[in-house]
Amino acid sequence: MDLTLTLRLRDLLATYKGLRDGPGLTPQKRGQAFNTLIANVLKAWGHEARPSVIGVRGRDETDVFFTIGHNYILEAKWEADPLSADPLTKLSERLSTRPPGTRAIVLSATGFNSNALEWINRHNELLLMDNSHIEAALCGLLDPKELLHRLYGETAASGNRLVPLADIVVPRHAEPDVPALTRAAETPPPWPIVKTSAEDVDASVEFTGVWQSDQHPSGISAVPGNRLLITTNAGVVELHTTTSKTKWALALPGTEDRAVGGIDGSVTVLCRGALVRWHPKTRDLQLVAGGFGGYATLEAGRDGTLWVYNQVGGLFGGSVTISRIGERPGDETRHDVPFPNGMRAVHLADERHFLSGAGHSTPVDVSKNPSADKEDWITSALPDPRAATGPDEHTIIAASTYGSLDGSLQRLNLRNAPAWTELLTFTANRATDLTVKRTSAARAEGWLLADASGNTQKPTPVLVKLSLPTTSPS
């Protein structure tokens, strides 16, 4: 997603929130604004669109007209209750005055009642959409062209005229094979991974695997029950560290960075510039936030908050933000940060974060303006510290490779900054990510996800179990 589209979607998300939550809007004004919003979303993605088109001699009005391969007339409704069958009947009749091949869609932000769903089962000339479909385009998950292609494809296959978003994004029939991991004792890595460790540091290679090129790992997080979530290009893999079994937590192509597991069994992850939440029990895919094109990372705060760190337009320029995530698209609060070379934002406490960066790292407080002070910059111990985390608000653990296969794991006590301490050296192509949790006043445990693919083209994930001393009180 390019910079122009990303920034435009951010503006449109703010408009969407205003329509949803803003006081003082009459139903007519909200409807007109909704038409304009839909047209602007289509235009942001590069498609021709016009809102509120009056028919010849004023005999009808099309809420949104647009062209994506076909000509479309769209009826958009934002009412207090689920939509009845009346607007469907009227749009169906309007098709008789339009050229053959014109497609018609009814989009209802509040869904459809039973009468509407019974009506659509007896007709094949309309397609129904709800707010999840427009949010998919608004947040950046799907280009409207791809969205419509998938919706009409599933409608042709199943006959369903109101296709749930999950059925086209996470289809049951297209789930790929699950990447497997085996115990390192049974299938050792291509070479010894751990080289040296500091006193009181325990590190052991526990799992290895050889995956397909479209399953490249990009993040790791821990969830209760001895389980790890490993994000790949093809989706989020769940590994049970006791049984060694893997399964899909979410088979969604385009996912990246860490996934966050919820106490309700949900999985939240970045995908194509959107933040999505998957509820496996109900097969519901929820759009949470969007407008995160470019390089983005997801961070779970210690207080249950979610944060996205986002770079757009290059490592040393463009838009750099830390966003606190709300409940629904548009609720996110974005903070511009004058520190564009950050690789990852680690949540410390409240509004404070640590930006792990190339060359320099720094603590920031997004409640202040400016949030970063150059006097607080800390020389980074590693050149590419994307793998960074914090077991508490005063301790940072970071890992990276600094040579062809040489890697290092470092600890920083922010109370004693800028002194980094090397805890571990290892041999790998890259340090992909870290997850570490404090287990006592003096120790933390976690996992290092590294890659040992050598000169091959297939990702070779290696999981190193860690037990580390910390310097901060619990």
Side-chain angles (χ1 to χ4, degrees):
M1 190 184 304
D2 63 28
L3 177 59
T4 301
L5 175 59
T6 295
L7 297 181
R8 183 62 179 135
L9 291 181
R10 291 181 184 180
D11 290 340
L12 293 172
L13 280 162
T15 301
Y16 182 60
K17 176 178 174 59
L19 285 177
R20 189 181 65 228
D21 302 334
L25 284 175
T26 65
Q28 183 180 10
K29 287 184 177 180
R30 178 177 279 110
Q32 292 172 343
F34 192 35
N35 298 344
T36 301
L37 173 67
I38 295 168
N40 285 338
V41 170
L42 290 162
K43 289 190 284 187
W45 284 94
H47 306 298
E48 179 186 350
R50 285 186 285 162
S52 305
V53 180
I54 304 299
V56 62
R57 292 186 293 275
R59 66 183 176 187
D60 57 39
E61 180 179 354
T62 295
D63 289 342
V64 182
F65 168 80
F66 65 96
T67 301
I68 302 179
H70 296 79
N71 291 320
Y72 290 84
I73 53 175
L74 183 145
E75 188 77 5
K77 296 294 183 182
W78 193 319
E79 300 187 356
D81 300 315
L83 202 64
S84 69
D86 290 344
L88 282 63
T89 302
K90 292 177 181 178
L91 188 60
S92 176
E93 294 172 351
R94 192 179 310 165
L95 272 177
S96 65
T97 67
R98 297 304 193 265
T102 302
R103 291 180 171 181
I105 299 173
V106 178
L107 169 60
S108 172
T110 52
F112 301 86
N113 67 17
S114 58
N115 290 334
L117 296 177
E118 289 175 6
W119 186 94
I120 199 67
N121 284 334
R122 301 191 302 271
H123 299 78
N124 64 2
E125 63 269 31
L126 302 183
L127 183 74
L128 304 187
M129 297 173 65
D130 58 29
N131 66 326
S132 69
H133 299 111
I134 189 64
E135 286 178 353
L138 182 61
C139 291
L141 180 66
L142 290 173
D143 183 320
K145 180 178 181 180
E146 183 180 2
L147 173 67
L148 290 170
H149 174 74
R150 294 191 189 189
L151 285 175
Y152 276 97
E154 182 58 29
T155 294
S158 66
N160 189 356
R161 310 300 296 183
L162 177 58
V163 180
L165 181 65
D167 284 2
I168 62 169
V169 178
V170 194
R172 298 176 188 269
H173 63 83
E175 185 170 293
D177 293 337
V178 183
L181 288 164
T182 57
R183 292 283 180 184
E186 302 170 5
T187 309
W191 57 74
I193 302 297
V194 177
K195 293 172 63 178
T196 65
S197 59
E199 184 179 356
D200 209 18
V201 173
D202 296 323
S204 59
V205 177
E206 296 292 321
F207 297 96
T208 63
V210 178
W211 292 359
Q212 300 301 314
S213 57
D214 62 349
Q215 298 170 340
H216 200 287
S218 60
I220 186 173
S221 59
V223 289
N226 299 320
R227 295 173 297 141
L228 296 173
L229 299 179
I230 303 173
T231 307
T232 77
N233 303 45
V236 181
V237 177
E238 179 185 302
L239 167 68
H240 197 293
T241 58
T242 302
T243 65
S244 306
K245 293 182 178 179
T246 58
K247 68 177 184 179
W248 286 115
L250 170 60
L252 174 60
T255 55
E256 59 181 339
D257 201 62
R258 292 175 188 160
V260 176
I263 58 175
D264 59 352
S266 64
V267 176
T268 304
V269 69
L270 288 161
C271 182
R272 300 183 177 186
L275 188 65
V276 301
R277 179 169 294 134
W278 171 245
H279 301 269
K281 292 181 180 179
T282 59
R283 282 191 53 81
D284 177 44
L285 188 72
Q286 173 191 357
L287 275 298
V288 181
F292 302 118
Y295 173 72
T297 64
L298 174 62
E299 179 77 6
R302 304 178 199 287
D303 53 2
T305 55
L306 289 179
W307 301 80
V308 173
Y309 176 73
N310 192 206
Q311 296 174 349
V312 180
L315 182 60
F316 299 104
S319 173
V320 181
T321 58
I322 294 179
S323 301
R324 180 171 180 154
I325 305 303
E327 292 297 320
R328 302 179 64 182
D331 289 346
E332 55 273 9
T333 303
R334 304 183 196 270
H335 304 273
D336 292 327
V337 180
F339 193 76
N341 65 327
M343 297 289 183
R344 175 176 291 281
V346 178
H347 183 249
L348 299 175
D350 301 323
E351 304 290 297
R352 295 187 295 112
H353 303 260
F354 180 82
L355 292 184
S356 175
H360 292 86
S361 299
T362 187
V364 300
D365 189 336
V366 296
S367 67
K368 298 179 180 179
N369 189 20
S371 55
D373 191 331
K374 195 168 184 178
E375 294 180 356
D376 296 329
W377 286 17
I378 300 167
T379 301
S380 298
L382 300 165
D384 186 24
R386 283 183 169 86
T389 189
D392 58 62
E393 64 179 290
H394 304 294
T395 307
I396 299 296
I397 308 293
S400 175
T401 52
Y402 54 86
S404 58
L405 291 173
D406 295 320
S408 177
L409 181 75
Q410 303 262 346
R411 181 188 65 215
L412 174 68
N413 180 0
L414 291 173
R415 289 170 168 168
N416 301 326
W420 290 86
T421 301
E422 187 170 69
L423 302 179
L424 184 75
T425 62
F426 55 89
T427 304
N429 291 82
R430 67 185 58 84
T432 303
D433 199 12
L434 274 167
T435 178
V436 177
K437 182 179 181 180
R438 177 179 284 281
T439 55
S440 69
R443 298 199 67 80
E445 294 183 356
W447 297 82
L448 167 65
L449 173 62
D451 178 75
S453 56
N455 294 322
T456 70
Q457 300 300 312
K458 290 188 175 182
T460 306
V462 175
L463 280 171
V464 181
K465 190 174 184 179
L466 305 169
S467 179
L468 311 169
T470 60
T471 57
S472 304
S474 61

